[in-house]
Amino acid sequence: MVETVSLSRCHGGAQGFYRHTSREIGRSMGFSVFTPAAASKARVPILLWLSGLTCTEENFTIKAGAQRLAADAGFLVVAPDTSPRDTGIEGEDDDWAFGTGAGFYLDATVEPWSRHYRMESYIVRELPGVIADAFPGDPQRMGIFGHSMGGHGALSLALKNPGMFRSVSALAPMNSLMGCQMGIDALQRYLGDDREAWRAYDVVDLIRSGHRAPPILADQGTEDEFLPNLLPDALAAACRDAGQALTLNMREGYDHSYWFIQSFLADHFEHHARALGS
């Protein structure tokens, strides 16, 4: 059952914040939904946004200015939280890059994290059904996009679930968790020492091992303070070598912030609209 936390009129539609008890997470999870006016007449495409480290369902919803774009395109935009919260696991709030706010959109296999940190299964197996049951969105016309850690989630989940997402894009995505220390630390703590298991969550490795997604749009700022962890050149090389369609835009002077996201978000809505219709 979905509980409405708040609901406000916005750009002719409605912006809401919601909670429900997740079977995959085993905890209450929050998410936001923008419902456009077009949804009063028929089910509309779903665009699923995955946020980055330290974020909740509020950051993108409040800061990105997506509602006007979603209203014009006729998209139902869903933004889930980035991790379980208040699980009682010791140390979950100790590190901004691990635990609370840092679920990395994977299913942990190491105790105690495996009890609740199942963000991949939540996003792929549960949330689309929750949305389709409670909102006028069409799960057969669903795209996915995200920022930073959420960009990693969007790309990896699209690559691993062919046919589920008809469009995919990312802003400043983490492209190789196995290629940066921040990613390695998270993989080791969530999945253990078996590097073979890590490969399921590395975008570059997924592409090189034969996984494919719809054409990818990615934007990356050249002044991004996290650029050494993001590795856009590795994404470009993997896509070129494997024949995976990619448009990678290096945006001169832009950083990692929501000012960067706001600047190019319209391009991403246009990208998804071409694939999903509106």
Side-chain angles (χ1 to χ4, degrees):
M1 181 176 178
V2 173
E3 171 194 356
T4 301
V5 177
S6 68
L7 188 64
S8 301
R9 188 77 169 159
C10 184
H11 287 286
Q15 178 61 62
F17 288 89
Y18 306 90
R19 297 201 69 82
H20 76 121
T21 299
S22 166
R23 66 172 185 270
E24 291 289 349
I25 301 296
R27 306 292 294 176
S28 176
M29 290 292 290
F31 61 92
S32 74
V33 177
F34 174 77
T35 304
S40 65
K41 299 178 181 179
R43 286 187 174 267
V44 295
I46 298 170
L47 199 50
L48 180 61
W49 170 268
L50 304 183
S51 289
L53 288 164
T54 76
C55 291
T56 71
E57 67 273 22
E58 293 186 353
N59 296 73
F60 174 79
T61 306
I62 294 172
K63 294 181 178 181
Q67 290 83 356
R68 178 181 58 80
L69 299 170
D72 291 345
F75 285 159
L76 190 96
V77 179
V78 180
D81 201 351
T82 56
S83 78
R85 293 181 188 271
D86 302 317
T87 66
I89 296 174
E90 184 178 358
E92 69 177 339
D93 297 326
D94 291 351
D95 184 348
W96 68 273
F98 184 80
T100 300
F104 279 88
Y105 304 102
L106 53 74
D107 285 353
T109 56
V110 172
E111 286 282 352
W113 309 102
S114 57
R115 300 174 200 168
H116 299 292
Y117 279 71
R118 295 179 48 78
M119 289 301 295
E120 178 180 25
S121 289
Y122 176 65
I123 297 298
V124 171
R125 299 179 184 177
E126 183 175 7
L127 187 59
V130 171
I131 298 303
D133 288 345
F135 301 92
D138 180 0
Q140 300 305 310
R141 291 185 294 161
M142 184 163 57
I144 190 168
F145 64 154
H147 173 236
S148 195
M149 178 186 71
H152 138 72
L155 295 178
S156 64
L157 295 180
L159 287 162
K160 292 165 67 175
N161 295 277
M164 183 174 186
F165 301 105
R166 288 174 52 179
S167 58
V168 59
S169 71
L171 293 112
M174 297 182 73
N175 293 300
S176 177
L177 296 188
M178 295 173 66
C180 67
Q181 193 58 52
M182 182 184 296
I184 290 170
D185 290 344
L187 291 170
Q188 189 165 38
R189 294 174 73 181
Y190 281 133
L191 303 177
D193 294 329
D194 182 5
R195 287 181 172 260
E196 189 64 26
W198 299 5
R199 298 179 62 193
Y201 300 104
D202 187 285
V203 171
V204 166
D205 194 272
L206 286 168
I207 293 169
R208 292 197 179 280
S209 63
H211 292 79
R212 294 292 178 268
I216 297 168
L217 170 65
D219 280 276
Q220 174 63 61
T222 62
E223 298 301 317
D224 191 321
E225 60 270 37
F226 296 104
L227 197 55
N229 292 314
L230 305 179
L231 305 175
D233 290 344
L235 174 66
C239 288
R240 181 187 64 244
D241 294 346
Q244 165 66 51
L246 168 70
T247 299
L248 173 60
N249 299 309
M250 298 300 296
R251 302 297 189 177
E252 188 68 32
Y254 284 87
D255 59 18
H256 199 70
S257 70
Y258 268 84
W259 304 119
F260 160 67
I261 293 173
Q262 282 190 25
S263 299
F264 302 105
L265 195 61
D267 295 342
H268 288 252
F269 271 83
E270 292 174 6
H271 170 80
H272 291 279
R274 287 192 291 272
L276 301 176
S278 58

